[in-house]
Amino acid sequence: MKSREYIKELQNKDADQLSQELVNAKKELFNLRFQNATNQLDNTSRIKEVRRNIARIQTVITAKAKTTE
C-alpha cells in the first residue's frame, strides 16, 4: 500500500519537484551500487526499491507531459 501513497504524493508535485526527486533518487541509486560493490551495503533490497521509485517518478513525469499536450 505504500507504493500507492507514494504515487499519489508524486502526482501532487509539479514538474520541477519531480525532476529534483528523480535526480535525488538517481544519486541514491549510484551510492547504493557503490556501497554494494565495496561490500558495505547491508540491505541490498533497497537497490530494487530505489529502481522502482525511479520508474514511478518517470511514469508520473511522462503522464503529466502527455496531459499538457
Side-chain angles (χ1 to χ4, degrees):
M1 297 301 160
K2 186 177 183 233
S3 64
R4 290 183 184 179
E5 294 170 4
Y6 184 68
I7 292 170
K8 287 181 182 179
E9 178 184 318
L10 289 175
Q11 290 172 343
N12 293 332
K13 294 184 178 185
D14 64 352
D16 292 333
Q17 292 172 332
L18 286 172
S19 62
Q20 185 61 39
E21 186 88 18
L22 183 62
V23 168
N24 291 339
K26 286 185 177 184
K27 285 181 183 178
E28 182 180 1
L29 181 61
F30 174 78
N31 289 332
L32 289 171
R33 284 181 176 162
F34 192 85
Q35 288 175 359
N36 193 30
T38 59
N39 292 325
Q40 295 177 349
L41 186 62
D42 295 328
N43 186 8
T44 56
S45 66
R46 182 74 180 131
I47 293 174
K48 183 177 181 179
E49 184 180 339
V50 172
R51 286 181 59 226
R52 288 184 177 186
N53 285 342
I54 289 172
R56 288 182 181 112
I57 294 167
Q58 290 175 335
T59 302
V60 171
I61 289 172
T62 303
K64 285 187 180 247
K66 286 186 178 183
T67 58
T68 57
E69 289 180 353

